[in-house]
Amino acid sequence: MPALALLGVFMVYPIIWSLWLSLHVGRGTNLRFGGFANISRLFEDQVFLHALSNTCIFFVVQVPIMICLALVFAVLLNDQKLWARGFFRTVIFLPCVTSLVAYSALFRSMFETEGIVNKALLNIHMIDLPINWLSDPFWAKVMIILAITWRWTGYNMIFYLAALQNIDHSIYEAARIDGIPARARFFRITIPLLKPVILFTSIISTIGTLQLFDEVNNITQGGPGDATLTLSLYIYNLTFKFMPNFGYSATVSYVIVLMVAVLSFVQFLVAKERK
C-alpha cells in the first residue's frame, strides 16, 4: 500500500493533471478550457518544430553510435587475455556515475575557445585557428552528441558484458570445431543471442535521447540560436523560464510520450522473432 500510494501521488496524479492541463490555454494560473487548441498550435510553432527537428537528429545519430560503441567495448573487454581490462572497464563506466553538473562543467571547459582541446590541436598543428565548438551551430550539435555518447556508452556496455559472460562457451567451441570463422561466429551466434539486450538498450537509449535535457541545459543552454534546443528543454523554458504556459508545455510533453511509444513499438517489431 505505501508503494501504491507513492506511485499514485508521484506518477498517476501528475499524468492525469498534465492531461487536464494540455486541454487548457492561457498564461500562468489564468487558464481556460481550449480543447485541442494547443495541438493546432504545435504545427504553427516554429520553435517547437525546430526543437523537434533537433531531437530527431540527436536520436537518429546518437543512439546507433552509442549502441554500436557499447557493443564493441563489451566484446573487447570480455576477452580474458586483455591486459588491465578491469581498469578499462572502470574508465569507460566512470562518466556514468560522475556528477552531471561536474561532468558538464568539465566537458564545457574542455571545448571552450581557449580550452584544452583547441590548445592541443593547435600544438600538433591540426588547426590554424581555434574552433568555436560551442558557438557554431554544427559543432554545438556534435558536442552534445559526443557528451551523451561519452557519458552513457559505459552504461550500455555493462549490460552487454553481463550478457556475453552468460553465453555458454560450448556453443563457440562447437562452432570452432565446425570451422566457422570468428566473423561469422560474431554475426551468427553472438548477435542473435544478444538480441534481448540489444532491444533493451535500444529502448532505454531512445527514451533517454528523446527526453534529453541535462547535457543540453548545462553545456549549451539550447544555443547557439536554438541550434541544440530539444523538446525537454523547450518544455522547461515554457514552464519556468518564460511566462508560464502550463497547458502548452503539457501538450509538448505528450509529443515526447507519443514518440517514445511509437519508436519502442517499432523496435519491438524489428526485434520480434520469426516463427
Side-chain angles (χ1 to χ4, degrees), residues 26-29 41 45 47-48 51 217 221-223 225-226 229-246 248-249:
R27 295 281 186 170
T29 58
R41 178 180 171 182
D45 185 356
V47 179
F48 164 77
N217 187 52
Q221 291 82 46
D226 293 339
L229 182 69
T230 61
L231 290 176
S232 293
L233 184 57
Y234 187 43
I235 293 170
Y236 171 81
N237 292 340
L238 287 171
T239 308
F240 300 107
K241 194 171 182 179
F242 307 131
M243 180 65 179
N245 195 329
F246 301 119
Y248 187 55
S249 62

PDB file of all heavy atoms in Angstrom, residues 26-29 41 45 47-48 51 217 221-223 225-226 229-246 248-249:
ATOM      1  N   GLY A  26      -3.814  29.589 -21.924  1.00  0.00           N
ATOM      2  CA  GLY A  26      -3.676  30.745 -21.046  1.00  0.00           C
ATOM      3  C   GLY A  26      -2.300  30.791 -20.420  1.00  0.00           C
ATOM      4  O   GLY A  26      -1.519  29.841 -20.507  1.00  0.00           O
ATOM      5  N   ARG A  27      -1.991  31.915 -19.795  1.00  0.00           N
ATOM      6  CA  ARG A  27      -0.689  32.124 -19.169  1.00  0.00           C
ATOM      7  C   ARG A  27      -0.824  32.055 -17.655  1.00  0.00           C
ATOM      8  O   ARG A  27      -1.827  32.502 -17.083  1.00  0.00           O
ATOM      9  CB  ARG A  27      -0.124  33.488 -19.573  1.00  0.00           C
ATOM     10  CG  ARG A  27       0.176  33.610 -21.053  1.00  0.00           C
ATOM     11  CD  ARG A  27       1.485  32.947 -21.399  1.00  0.00           C
ATOM     12  NE  ARG A  27       1.875  33.169 -22.784  1.00  0.00           N
ATOM     13  CZ  ARG A  27       3.053  32.863 -23.291  1.00  0.00           C
ATOM     14  NH1 ARG A  27       3.962  32.304 -22.520  1.00  0.00           N
ATOM     15  NH2 ARG A  27       3.327  33.090 -24.556  1.00  0.00           N
ATOM     16  N   GLY A  28       0.221  31.515 -17.009  1.00  0.00           N
ATOM     17  CA  GLY A  28       0.209  31.429 -15.556  1.00  0.00           C
ATOM     18  C   GLY A  28      -0.959  30.609 -15.056  1.00  0.00           C
ATOM     19  O   GLY A  28      -1.260  29.537 -15.579  1.00  0.00           O
ATOM     20  N   THR A  29      -1.619  31.125 -14.030  1.00  0.00           N
ATOM     21  CA  THR A  29      -2.784  30.421 -13.465  1.00  0.00           C
ATOM     22  C   THR A  29      -4.091  30.835 -14.130  1.00  0.00           C
ATOM     23  O   THR A  29      -5.145  30.318 -13.773  1.00  0.00           O
ATOM     24  CB  THR A  29      -2.873  30.695 -11.955  1.00  0.00           C
ATOM     25  OG1 THR A  29      -2.961  32.107 -11.735  1.00  0.00           O
ATOM     26  CG2 THR A  29      -1.637  30.149 -11.235  1.00  0.00           C
ATOM     27  N   ARG A  41      -1.756  24.529 -32.317  1.00  0.00           N
ATOM     28  CA  ARG A  41      -0.658  25.494 -32.196  1.00  0.00           C
ATOM     29  C   ARG A  41       0.693  24.839 -32.489  1.00  0.00           C
ATOM     30  O   ARG A  41       1.617  25.509 -32.965  1.00  0.00           O
ATOM     31  CB  ARG A  41      -0.664  26.084 -30.793  1.00  0.00           C
ATOM     32  CG  ARG A  41       0.470  27.074 -30.536  1.00  0.00           C
ATOM     33  CD  ARG A  41       0.409  27.618 -29.118  1.00  0.00           C
ATOM     34  NE  ARG A  41       1.600  28.392 -28.805  1.00  0.00           N
ATOM     35  CZ  ARG A  41       1.833  28.955 -27.627  1.00  0.00           C
ATOM     36  NH1 ARG A  41       0.950  28.838 -26.648  1.00  0.00           N
ATOM     37  NH2 ARG A  41       2.944  29.640 -27.427  1.00  0.00           N
ATOM     38  N   ASP A  45       4.020  26.532 -34.509  1.00  0.00           N
ATOM     39  CA  ASP A  45       5.093  26.991 -33.630  1.00  0.00           C
ATOM     40  C   ASP A  45       6.446  26.602 -34.233  1.00  0.00           C
ATOM     41  O   ASP A  45       6.850  25.444 -34.202  1.00  0.00           O
ATOM     42  CB  ASP A  45       4.924  26.363 -32.247  1.00  0.00           C
ATOM     43  CG  ASP A  45       5.939  26.887 -31.238  1.00  0.00           C
ATOM     44  OD1 ASP A  45       6.816  27.681 -31.635  1.00  0.00           O
ATOM     45  OD2 ASP A  45       5.845  26.502 -30.063  1.00  0.00           O
ATOM     46  N   VAL A  47       9.436  27.369 -33.195  1.00  0.00           N
ATOM     47  CA  VAL A  47      10.411  26.964 -32.173  1.00  0.00           C
ATOM     48  C   VAL A  47      10.205  25.494 -31.817  1.00  0.00           C
ATOM     49  O   VAL A  47      11.162  24.727 -31.674  1.00  0.00           O
ATOM     50  CB  VAL A  47      10.287  27.851 -30.917  1.00  0.00           C
ATOM     51  CG1 VAL A  47      11.286  27.399 -29.849  1.00  0.00           C
ATOM     52  CG2 VAL A  47      10.509  29.302 -31.274  1.00  0.00           C
ATOM     53  N   PHE A  48       8.940  25.090 -31.679  1.00  0.00           N
ATOM     54  CA  PHE A  48       8.645  23.677 -31.415  1.00  0.00           C
ATOM     55  C   PHE A  48       9.139  22.788 -32.548  1.00  0.00           C
ATOM     56  O   PHE A  48       9.759  21.737 -32.307  1.00  0.00           O
ATOM     57  CB  PHE A  48       7.143  23.483 -31.222  1.00  0.00           C
ATOM     58  CG  PHE A  48       6.709  22.039 -31.337  1.00  0.00           C
ATOM     59  CD1 PHE A  48       6.928  21.148 -30.300  1.00  0.00           C
ATOM     60  CD2 PHE A  48       6.111  21.573 -32.510  1.00  0.00           C
ATOM     61  CE1 PHE A  48       6.547  19.816 -30.407  1.00  0.00           C
ATOM     62  CE2 PHE A  48       5.729  20.255 -32.634  1.00  0.00           C
ATOM     63  CZ  PHE A  48       5.957  19.374 -31.577  1.00  0.00           C
ATOM     64  N   ALA A  51      12.855  22.481 -32.309  1.00  0.00           N
ATOM     65  CA  ALA A  51      13.231  21.594 -31.207  1.00  0.00           C
ATOM     66  C   ALA A  51      12.952  20.136 -31.553  1.00  0.00           C
ATOM     67  O   ALA A  51      13.749  19.246 -31.224  1.00  0.00           O
ATOM     68  CB  ALA A  51      12.480  21.991 -29.938  1.00  0.00           C
ATOM     69  N   ASN A 217      21.146  21.574 -21.333  1.00  0.00           N
ATOM     70  CA  ASN A 217      20.949  22.717 -20.445  1.00  0.00           C
ATOM     71  C   ASN A 217      22.250  23.150 -19.783  1.00  0.00           C
ATOM     72  O   ASN A 217      22.487  24.353 -19.584  1.00  0.00           O
ATOM     73  CB  ASN A 217      19.918  22.360 -19.376  1.00  0.00           C
ATOM     74  CG  ASN A 217      19.540  23.550 -18.513  1.00  0.00           C
ATOM     75  OD1 ASN A 217      19.165  24.613 -19.018  1.00  0.00           O
ATOM     76  ND2 ASN A 217      19.640  23.389 -17.209  1.00  0.00           N
ATOM     77  N   GLN A 221      22.858  25.365 -23.181  1.00  0.00           N
ATOM     78  CA  GLN A 221      21.587  26.056 -22.882  1.00  0.00           C
ATOM     79  C   GLN A 221      20.681  26.153 -24.122  1.00  0.00           C
ATOM     80  O   GLN A 221      19.891  27.089 -24.272  1.00  0.00           O
ATOM     81  CB  GLN A 221      21.823  27.460 -22.305  1.00  0.00           C
ATOM     82  CG  GLN A 221      22.431  27.465 -20.911  1.00  0.00           C
ATOM     83  CD  GLN A 221      23.928  27.276 -20.925  1.00  0.00           C
ATOM     84  OE1 GLN A 221      24.646  27.914 -21.718  1.00  0.00           O
ATOM     85  NE2 GLN A 221      24.431  26.419 -20.062  1.00  0.00           N
ATOM     86  N   GLY A 222      20.817  25.199 -25.020  1.00  0.00           N
ATOM     87  CA  GLY A 222      19.993  25.195 -26.226  1.00  0.00           C
ATOM     88  C   GLY A 222      20.550  26.007 -27.367  1.00  0.00           C
ATOM     89  O   GLY A 222      20.013  25.987 -28.473  1.00  0.00           O
ATOM     90  N   GLY A 223      21.621  26.716 -27.145  1.00  0.00           N
ATOM     91  CA  GLY A 223      22.199  27.572 -28.187  1.00  0.00           C
ATOM     92  C   GLY A 223      23.226  26.837 -29.017  1.00  0.00           C
ATOM     93  O   GLY A 223      23.418  25.635 -28.844  1.00  0.00           O
ATOM     94  N   GLY A 225      21.545  30.085 -30.863  1.00  0.00           N
ATOM     95  CA  GLY A 225      20.357  30.334 -31.674  1.00  0.00           C
ATOM     96  C   GLY A 225      19.421  29.153 -31.768  1.00  0.00           C
ATOM     97  O   GLY A 225      18.910  28.850 -32.842  1.00  0.00           O
ATOM     98  N   ASP A 226      19.189  28.451 -30.659  1.00  0.00           N
ATOM     99  CA  ASP A 226      18.318  27.267 -30.609  1.00  0.00           C
ATOM    100  C   ASP A 226      18.844  26.112 -31.449  1.00  0.00           C
ATOM    101  O   ASP A 226      18.084  25.196 -31.789  1.00  0.00           O
ATOM    102  CB  ASP A 226      16.894  27.617 -31.071  1.00  0.00           C
ATOM    103  CG  ASP A 226      16.187  28.558 -30.113  1.00  0.00           C
ATOM    104  OD1 ASP A 226      16.599  28.618 -28.934  1.00  0.00           O
ATOM    105  OD2 ASP A 226      15.237  29.242 -30.538  1.00  0.00           O
ATOM    106  N   LEU A 229      18.463  23.200 -29.147  1.00  0.00           N
ATOM    107  CA  LEU A 229      17.236  23.166 -28.348  1.00  0.00           C
ATOM    108  C   LEU A 229      16.514  21.841 -28.551  1.00  0.00           C
ATOM    109  O   LEU A 229      16.288  21.411 -29.683  1.00  0.00           O
ATOM    110  CB  LEU A 229      16.320  24.318 -28.743  1.00  0.00           C
ATOM    111  CG  LEU A 229      15.002  24.433 -27.959  1.00  0.00           C
ATOM    112  CD1 LEU A 229      15.281  24.837 -26.518  1.00  0.00           C
ATOM    113  CD2 LEU A 229      14.065  25.440 -28.636  1.00  0.00           C
ATOM    114  N   THR A 230      16.161  21.172 -27.457  1.00  0.00           N
ATOM    115  CA  THR A 230      15.430  19.912 -27.526  1.00  0.00           C
ATOM    116  C   THR A 230      14.019  20.114 -26.983  1.00  0.00           C
ATOM    117  O   THR A 230      13.704  21.148 -26.381  1.00  0.00           O
ATOM    118  CB  THR A 230      16.136  18.820 -26.716  1.00  0.00           C
ATOM    119  OG1 THR A 230      16.197  19.218 -25.336  1.00  0.00           O
ATOM    120  CG2 THR A 230      17.548  18.579 -27.246  1.00  0.00           C
ATOM    121  N   LEU A 231      13.178  19.118 -27.160  1.00  0.00           N
ATOM    122  CA  LEU A 231      11.795  19.215 -26.697  1.00  0.00           C
ATOM    123  C   LEU A 231      11.732  19.363 -25.180  1.00  0.00           C
ATOM    124  O   LEU A 231      10.938  20.158 -24.668  1.00  0.00           O
ATOM    125  CB  LEU A 231      11.004  17.977 -27.139  1.00  0.00           C
ATOM    126  CG  LEU A 231      10.712  17.868 -28.638  1.00  0.00           C
ATOM    127  CD1 LEU A 231      10.012  16.555 -28.949  1.00  0.00           C
ATOM    128  CD2 LEU A 231       9.856  19.043 -29.117  1.00  0.00           C
ATOM    129  N   SER A 232      12.553  18.612 -24.456  1.00  0.00           N
ATOM    130  CA  SER A 232      12.531  18.698 -22.991  1.00  0.00           C
ATOM    131  C   SER A 232      12.976  20.079 -22.507  1.00  0.00           C
ATOM    132  O   SER A 232      12.387  20.639 -21.570  1.00  0.00           O
ATOM    133  CB  SER A 232      13.433  17.624 -22.389  1.00  0.00           C
ATOM    134  OG  SER A 232      12.902  16.339 -22.625  1.00  0.00           O
ATOM    135  N   LEU A 233      13.998  20.633 -23.138  1.00  0.00           N
ATOM    136  CA  LEU A 233      14.446  21.971 -22.758  1.00  0.00           C
ATOM    137  C   LEU A 233      13.399  23.013 -23.125  1.00  0.00           C
ATOM    138  O   LEU A 233      13.207  23.993 -22.386  1.00  0.00           O
ATOM    139  CB  LEU A 233      15.780  22.291 -23.443  1.00  0.00           C
ATOM    140  CG  LEU A 233      16.424  23.626 -23.073  1.00  0.00           C
ATOM    141  CD1 LEU A 233      16.657  23.716 -21.570  1.00  0.00           C
ATOM    142  CD2 LEU A 233      17.732  23.827 -23.835  1.00  0.00           C
ATOM    143  N   TYR A 234      12.703  22.822 -24.235  1.00  0.00           N
ATOM    144  CA  TYR A 234      11.634  23.739 -24.632  1.00  0.00           C
ATOM    145  C   TYR A 234      10.494  23.683 -23.615  1.00  0.00           C
ATOM    146  O   TYR A 234       9.913  24.723 -23.265  1.00  0.00           O
ATOM    147  CB  TYR A 234      11.141  23.378 -26.030  1.00  0.00           C
ATOM    148  CG  TYR A 234      10.149  24.355 -26.613  1.00  0.00           C
ATOM    149  CD1 TYR A 234      10.336  25.729 -26.496  1.00  0.00           C
ATOM    150  CD2 TYR A 234       9.013  23.905 -27.291  1.00  0.00           C
ATOM    151  CE1 TYR A 234       9.425  26.631 -27.026  1.00  0.00           C
ATOM    152  CE2 TYR A 234       8.096  24.789 -27.833  1.00  0.00           C
ATOM    153  CZ  TYR A 234       8.305  26.159 -27.690  1.00  0.00           C
ATOM    154  OH  TYR A 234       7.406  27.054 -28.216  1.00  0.00           O
ATOM    155  N   ILE A 235      10.166  22.487 -23.132  1.00  0.00           N
ATOM    156  CA  ILE A 235       9.142  22.352 -22.098  1.00  0.00           C
ATOM    157  C   ILE A 235       9.557  23.109 -20.839  1.00  0.00           C
ATOM    158  O   ILE A 235       8.754  23.811 -20.219  1.00  0.00           O
ATOM    159  CB  ILE A 235       8.895  20.860 -21.784  1.00  0.00           C
ATOM    160  CG1 ILE A 235       8.264  20.164 -22.993  1.00  0.00           C
ATOM    161  CG2 ILE A 235       8.008  20.698 -20.554  1.00  0.00           C
ATOM    162  CD1 ILE A 235       8.194  18.660 -22.870  1.00  0.00           C
ATOM    163  N   TYR A 236      10.824  22.962 -20.473  1.00  0.00           N
ATOM    164  CA  TYR A 236      11.343  23.675 -19.292  1.00  0.00           C
ATOM    165  C   TYR A 236      11.235  25.190 -19.487  1.00  0.00           C
ATOM    166  O   TYR A 236      10.821  25.913 -18.567  1.00  0.00           O
ATOM    167  CB  TYR A 236      12.796  23.266 -19.063  1.00  0.00           C
ATOM    168  CG  TYR A 236      13.508  24.079 -18.013  1.00  0.00           C
ATOM    169  CD1 TYR A 236      13.343  23.806 -16.656  1.00  0.00           C
ATOM    170  CD2 TYR A 236      14.346  25.131 -18.386  1.00  0.00           C
ATOM    171  CE1 TYR A 236      13.999  24.557 -15.694  1.00  0.00           C
ATOM    172  CE2 TYR A 236      15.004  25.887 -17.426  1.00  0.00           C
ATOM    173  CZ  TYR A 236      14.832  25.603 -16.085  1.00  0.00           C
ATOM    174  OH  TYR A 236      15.468  26.340 -15.135  1.00  0.00           O
ATOM    175  N   ASN A 237      11.618  25.664 -20.666  1.00  0.00           N
ATOM    176  CA  ASN A 237      11.541  27.102 -20.932  1.00  0.00           C
ATOM    177  C   ASN A 237      10.100  27.601 -20.862  1.00  0.00           C
ATOM    178  O   ASN A 237       9.832  28.676 -20.314  1.00  0.00           O
ATOM    179  CB  ASN A 237      12.133  27.414 -22.305  1.00  0.00           C
ATOM    180  CG  ASN A 237      13.633  27.196 -22.351  1.00  0.00           C
ATOM    181  OD1 ASN A 237      14.298  27.170 -21.320  1.00  0.00           O
ATOM    182  ND2 ASN A 237      14.168  27.022 -23.549  1.00  0.00           N
ATOM    183  N   LEU A 238       9.179  26.831 -21.427  1.00  0.00           N
ATOM    184  CA  LEU A 238       7.769  27.234 -21.412  1.00  0.00           C
ATOM    185  C   LEU A 238       7.204  27.273 -20.002  1.00  0.00           C
ATOM    186  O   LEU A 238       6.341  28.101 -19.690  1.00  0.00           O
ATOM    187  CB  LEU A 238       6.942  26.262 -22.261  1.00  0.00           C
ATOM    188  CG  LEU A 238       7.092  26.349 -23.782  1.00  0.00           C
ATOM    189  CD1 LEU A 238       6.388  25.171 -24.448  1.00  0.00           C
ATOM    190  CD2 LEU A 238       6.520  27.662 -24.312  1.00  0.00           C
ATOM    191  N   THR A 239       7.693  26.386 -19.160  1.00  0.00           N
ATOM    192  CA  THR A 239       7.118  26.248 -17.826  1.00  0.00           C
ATOM    193  C   THR A 239       7.771  27.158 -16.794  1.00  0.00           C
ATOM    194  O   THR A 239       7.093  27.738 -15.946  1.00  0.00           O
ATOM    195  CB  THR A 239       7.236  24.783 -17.351  1.00  0.00           C
ATOM    196  OG1 THR A 239       6.699  23.914 -18.341  1.00  0.00           O
ATOM    197  CG2 THR A 239       6.485  24.574 -16.045  1.00  0.00           C
ATOM    198  N   PHE A 240       9.107  27.314 -16.860  1.00  0.00           N
ATOM    199  CA  PHE A 240       9.820  28.000 -15.787  1.00  0.00           C
ATOM    200  C   PHE A 240      10.583  29.248 -16.230  1.00  0.00           C
ATOM    201  O   PHE A 240      10.733  30.181 -15.449  1.00  0.00           O
ATOM    202  CB  PHE A 240      10.818  27.036 -15.122  1.00  0.00           C
ATOM    203  CG  PHE A 240      10.171  25.829 -14.529  1.00  0.00           C
ATOM    204  CD1 PHE A 240      10.297  24.592 -15.130  1.00  0.00           C
ATOM    205  CD2 PHE A 240       9.407  25.932 -13.373  1.00  0.00           C
ATOM    206  CE1 PHE A 240       9.699  23.474 -14.589  1.00  0.00           C
ATOM    207  CE2 PHE A 240       8.798  24.816 -12.818  1.00  0.00           C
ATOM    208  CZ  PHE A 240       8.945  23.577 -13.432  1.00  0.00           C
ATOM    209  N   LYS A 241      11.083  29.253 -17.450  1.00  0.00           N
ATOM    210  CA  LYS A 241      11.976  30.339 -17.850  1.00  0.00           C
ATOM    211  C   LYS A 241      11.216  31.558 -18.343  1.00  0.00           C
ATOM    212  O   LYS A 241      11.566  32.700 -18.026  1.00  0.00           O
ATOM    213  CB  LYS A 241      12.924  29.849 -18.954  1.00  0.00           C
ATOM    214  CG  LYS A 241      14.099  30.768 -19.203  1.00  0.00           C
ATOM    215  CD  LYS A 241      15.101  30.115 -20.153  1.00  0.00           C
ATOM    216  CE  LYS A 241      16.306  31.007 -20.367  1.00  0.00           C
ATOM    217  NZ  LYS A 241      17.302  30.388 -21.275  1.00  0.00           N
ATOM    218  N   PHE A 242      10.185  31.332 -19.139  1.00  0.00           N
ATOM    219  CA  PHE A 242       9.374  32.433 -19.650  1.00  0.00           C
ATOM    220  C   PHE A 242       8.089  32.523 -18.829  1.00  0.00           C
ATOM    221  O   PHE A 242       7.938  31.848 -17.817  1.00  0.00           O
ATOM    222  CB  PHE A 242       9.062  32.223 -21.136  1.00  0.00           C
ATOM    223  CG  PHE A 242      10.296  31.970 -21.968  1.00  0.00           C
ATOM    224  CD1 PHE A 242      10.348  30.911 -22.863  1.00  0.00           C
ATOM    225  CD2 PHE A 242      11.411  32.790 -21.849  1.00  0.00           C
ATOM    226  CE1 PHE A 242      11.482  30.688 -23.624  1.00  0.00           C
ATOM    227  CE2 PHE A 242      12.545  32.568 -22.605  1.00  0.00           C
ATOM    228  CZ  PHE A 242      12.579  31.516 -23.498  1.00  0.00           C
ATOM    229  N   MET A 243       7.157  33.345 -19.284  1.00  0.00           N
ATOM    230  CA  MET A 243       5.853  33.418 -18.631  1.00  0.00           C
ATOM    231  C   MET A 243       5.211  32.040 -18.682  1.00  0.00           C
ATOM    232  O   MET A 243       5.022  31.480 -19.766  1.00  0.00           O
ATOM    233  CB  MET A 243       4.964  34.440 -19.357  1.00  0.00           C
ATOM    234  CG  MET A 243       3.587  34.596 -18.752  1.00  0.00           C
ATOM    235  SD  MET A 243       3.654  35.286 -17.086  1.00  0.00           S
ATOM    236  CE  MET A 243       1.914  35.358 -16.678  1.00  0.00           C
ATOM    237  N   PRO A 244       4.903  31.425 -17.545  1.00  0.00           N
ATOM    238  CA  PRO A 244       4.450  30.023 -17.544  1.00  0.00           C
ATOM    239  C   PRO A 244       3.285  29.767 -18.479  1.00  0.00           C
ATOM    240  O   PRO A 244       2.294  30.491 -18.476  1.00  0.00           O
ATOM    241  CB  PRO A 244       4.039  29.798 -16.081  1.00  0.00           C
ATOM    242  CG  PRO A 244       4.827  30.791 -15.306  1.00  0.00           C
ATOM    243  CD  PRO A 244       4.949  31.995 -16.206  1.00  0.00           C
ATOM    244  N   ASN A 245       3.442  28.745 -19.294  1.00  0.00           N
ATOM    245  CA  ASN A 245       2.372  28.308 -20.190  1.00  0.00           C
ATOM    246  C   ASN A 245       2.180  26.812 -19.956  1.00  0.00           C
ATOM    247  O   ASN A 245       2.659  25.979 -20.717  1.00  0.00           O
ATOM    248  CB  ASN A 245       2.751  28.599 -21.641  1.00  0.00           C
ATOM    249  CG  ASN A 245       1.562  28.502 -22.573  1.00  0.00           C
ATOM    250  OD1 ASN A 245       0.639  27.731 -22.333  1.00  0.00           O
ATOM    251  ND2 ASN A 245       1.578  29.287 -23.641  1.00  0.00           N
ATOM    252  N   PHE A 246       1.509  26.500 -18.871  1.00  0.00           N
ATOM    253  CA  PHE A 246       1.416  25.112 -18.428  1.00  0.00           C
ATOM    254  C   PHE A 246       0.673  24.226 -19.421  1.00  0.00           C
ATOM    255  O   PHE A 246       1.054  23.076 -19.647  1.00  0.00           O
ATOM    256  CB  PHE A 246       0.732  25.044 -17.061  1.00  0.00           C
ATOM    257  CG  PHE A 246       1.437  25.828 -15.991  1.00  0.00           C
ATOM    258  CD1 PHE A 246       0.805  26.884 -15.349  1.00  0.00           C
ATOM    259  CD2 PHE A 246       2.741  25.523 -15.636  1.00  0.00           C
ATOM    260  CE1 PHE A 246       1.459  27.605 -14.368  1.00  0.00           C
ATOM    261  CE2 PHE A 246       3.401  26.248 -14.658  1.00  0.00           C
ATOM    262  CZ  PHE A 246       2.756  27.288 -14.022  1.00  0.00           C
ATOM    263  N   TYR A 248       0.282  24.521 -22.770  1.00  0.00           N
ATOM    264  CA  TYR A 248       1.031  24.232 -23.994  1.00  0.00           C
ATOM    265  C   TYR A 248       2.250  23.353 -23.707  1.00  0.00           C
ATOM    266  O   TYR A 248       2.568  22.449 -24.480  1.00  0.00           O
ATOM    267  CB  TYR A 248       1.466  25.546 -24.643  1.00  0.00           C
ATOM    268  CG  TYR A 248       2.101  25.364 -26.005  1.00  0.00           C
ATOM    269  CD1 TYR A 248       1.432  24.694 -27.022  1.00  0.00           C
ATOM    270  CD2 TYR A 248       3.374  25.858 -26.269  1.00  0.00           C
ATOM    271  CE1 TYR A 248       2.006  24.526 -28.268  1.00  0.00           C
ATOM    272  CE2 TYR A 248       3.958  25.692 -27.517  1.00  0.00           C
ATOM    273  CZ  TYR A 248       3.268  25.025 -28.506  1.00  0.00           C
ATOM    274  OH  TYR A 248       3.845  24.853 -29.743  1.00  0.00           O
ATOM    275  N   SER A 249       2.933  23.593 -22.579  1.00  0.00           N
ATOM    276  CA  SER A 249       4.092  22.765 -22.238  1.00  0.00           C
ATOM    277  C   SER A 249       3.655  21.325 -21.973  1.00  0.00           C
ATOM    278  O   SER A 249       4.377  20.378 -22.329  1.00  0.00           O
ATOM    279  CB  SER A 249       4.813  23.329 -21.021  1.00  0.00           C
ATOM    280  OG  SER A 249       3.972  23.324 -19.881  1.00  0.00           O
TER     281      SER A 249
END
